[in-house]
Amino acid sequence: MSLPARSVAALGSLVVCAWTTSLALAGSGPPVPASSPDPRNAAFLQACGAGDERLHEAAVAVAERVAKGRAVPDMHELTGILRAQQDPHTRPRAWTLRAVDLDRDAARVRLSTWLRTLGSAGVRRCGVASIVDSQRGETVAVVVADAIADTMTELPDSVRTSSWLTVEARSLVHASEARLVVLGPRGAPRTIPTSFDRGSGRVLGRFMADRPGRWVVQLLLTIDSGPQPALELEVEAGDGAADRARSAEAPGETAVTAERDDGVAMTVMLNVARKTEGMGSLIRDVRLDAVAERHVKAMMKAGVMAHEAGDGNPASRMDAAGLSPRELGENVARAPSPALAHRVLWDSPSHRGNMLHGRFKRVGVAAARDASGAVWVTQVFASGEPGWDEGRGDGD
C-alpha cells in the first residue's frame, strides 16, 4: 500500500478467522430488519435494539452451540458465524443464558446490565434465539453488532474470474475519511479508488477480481478513535461453485511454541509470514517496543481496543517518544492467544497491508495478558530511512 510521508497506515482491530456454519443467504448485503422469530423473545430484542434477520440466524448458531455445552464464542469465532450468514459487520458480541426454568423478566434485567457495559459507536443491531432441551432446559442467545456502516447493494457470493465488482456503502457515523481495501487470494492488499461524500456518508468503489480464489473487501472509516474496519465483504472468484472455506492457519502460525514470550512469538510469526511472500524480516527495535508497550497498557486500562485509548494517536505517540519516521503504521488486536491474534491480523486486508508494507523496515511489538488470559497486542511499524531518530544514520 503506497503511503504519503508521515502517514499512519492500516489501523484496525480484531477480525474474523474461522467459519462455523453453512451459508444462509446469497451474498453480503444491506441489513434485513426483522422482529423476533419467537414472540417469547420480543422483550429481549426490545432491550437490545433493532432486529436483523442475519443476526437472528447467528443467534441460533450461538444458542445451539451453548445448548450442547460448548463455550460462548469469542469475538473472532462469532465474526466467523456472522460471515457464514453473510453479515459484513465487524466486532460482534454475544450474550447467553441457560436455565432449567427460565425467568424471562429476570433474564431481561441481566441482559440490560450486560448491554450497558458495551458502549456504542454506531447503530446497535441485534439477533435473538432460544432453544429448549427437555433435559438441559432453555438456552437464550443474543448477538449484538455495533454498526458504523452498512452496505447499500449486495455483493455476490461468487463470480467468474476477471469480473468487475462494485462496492457501495453508507457511513452511519461521522467520518473524516473512507477507504476500500481489497485483499486478493495472495500477496499484499491494495487500496482501490474510493469516493466518499461526507454529507451523505456514501462510499463507492470498484475493483476487478482478476485471479481465482477468495477476495476480501474491507471498508475503513476514520472516526474519532482512528481508522476502524467498518465492513468486511467476501467473494469467491472462479468458474465453479464458491468454496468459502478458509485456511485454518496463517503463514507463520506454527513457527512458535506455546511457552515462548508472547511478544517474541508475534514477531517470529510476522517475519515467517513475510518470508512466505518473498519479503525480508523486519528488525525489532526496542524504542518501538516501548511505544507499543505503552499503548497496550493504555488499551487494557481503558478496556478498549483502539488506536486512540486516551494516550494520543499513533503519530503523536511516536513524536512523544522522540521518533519521526517518514512512514509508520500500527496494528492492534485482542485474542485468546498470540497465534489467533496473528491469524486475524493476517486475514484482515488493512492489517496485512502493514505486515507486508515494502517500506517498513522496523517493528516494535508488545503483548500482555489480561485477567481472562486473553492477549492484547500492539505492532508498531516504521520505515528505516536515515534521520528517523536522533542517530541520524540509522538506515537499515
Side-chain angles (χ1 to χ4, degrees), residues 23-331:
L23 296 175
L25 299 172
S28 299
V32 184
S35 58
S36 171
D38 185 341
R40 297 178 306 155
N41 296 329
F44 296 139
L45 189 59
Q46 184 179 16
C48 185
D52 181 85
E53 183 176 321
R54 290 179 172 89
L55 294 180
H56 289 320
E57 292 294 332
V60 170
V62 173
E64 289 177 344
R65 168 181 172 140
V66 174
K68 294 176 181 177
R70 298 175 60 191
V72 179
D74 59 33
M75 188 182 291
H76 83 273
E77 293 172 311
L78 185 58
T79 305
I81 293 174
L82 261 64
R83 294 298 176 272
Q85 304 302 332
Q86 299 299 339
D87 186 295
H89 294 109
T90 61
R91 301 185 68 182
R93 284 150 293 185
W95 175 88
T96 64
L97 181 65
R98 209 168 82 186
V100 174
D101 185 14
L102 184 67
D103 182 335
R104 276 180 153 68
D105 290 335
R108 177 176 175 172
V109 171
R110 294 177 64 173
L111 171 62
S112 298
T113 300
W114 175 76
L115 289 168
R116 285 195 293 271
T117 69
L118 300 184
S120 179
V123 176
R124 178 175 289 168
R125 297 206 178 92
C126 304
V128 297
S130 60
I131 294 176
V132 178
D133 185 284
S134 59
Q135 294 181 332
R136 298 181 178 180
E138 186 171 3
T139 300
V140 176
V142 176
V143 174
V144 178
D146 193 16
I148 62 174
D150 283 332
T151 55
M152 301 301 293
T153 57
E154 186 172 284
L155 191 71
D157 176 62
S158 60
V159 297
R160 291 186 178 276
T161 305
S162 298
S163 295
W164 281 94
L165 296 167
T166 299
V167 179
E168 184 176 4
R170 179 171 63 94
S171 173
L172 302 176
V173 298
H174 172 72
S176 59
E177 182 184 6
R179 289 188 295 142
L180 287 167
V181 182
V182 175
L183 180 63
R186 284 192 58 83
R190 69 179 190 271
T191 299
I192 62 175
T194 306
S195 68
F196 176 48
D197 180 9
R198 293 185 186 179
S200 65
R202 184 171 181 263
V203 181
L204 186 66
R206 187 170 168 82
F207 73 99
M208 177 187 285
D210 57 5
R211 286 173 291 170
R214 173 177 165 268
W215 291 77
V216 181
V217 187
Q218 185 181 72
L219 170 61
L220 285 173
L221 291 179
T222 301
I223 59 178
D224 291 342
S225 59
Q228 297 289 334
L231 297 169
E232 289 179 356
L233 305 99
E234 305 192 10
V235 61
E236 187 80 13
D239 295 332
D243 177 9
R244 299 297 296 252
R246 161 187 315 212
S247 172
E249 297 175 352
E253 192 175 323
T254 58
V256 297
T257 55
E259 64 270 14
R260 297 194 70 162
D261 173 82
D262 290 341
V264 172
M266 292 298 300
T267 307
V268 170
M269 292 185 289
L270 169 62
N271 280 328
V272 171
R274 284 175 60 88
K275 185 176 181 180
T276 66
E277 296 292 339
M279 305 184 72
S281 295
L282 296 175
I283 299 170
R284 189 167 178 184
D285 191 298
V286 293
R287 296 161 295 185
L288 297 178
D289 281 350
V291 175
E293 183 177 358
R294 284 192 289 271
H295 188 56
V296 164
K297 290 179 179 178
M299 289 193 298
M300 295 178 70
K301 181 179 179 180
V304 296
M305 186 176 57
H307 300 282
E308 169 57 81
D311 59 340
N313 62 38
S316 67
R317 285 187 262 116
M318 291 289 279
D319 289 339
L323 304 174
S324 55
R326 293 180 184 174
E327 299 182 48
L328 66 98
E330 181 178 272
N331 288 345

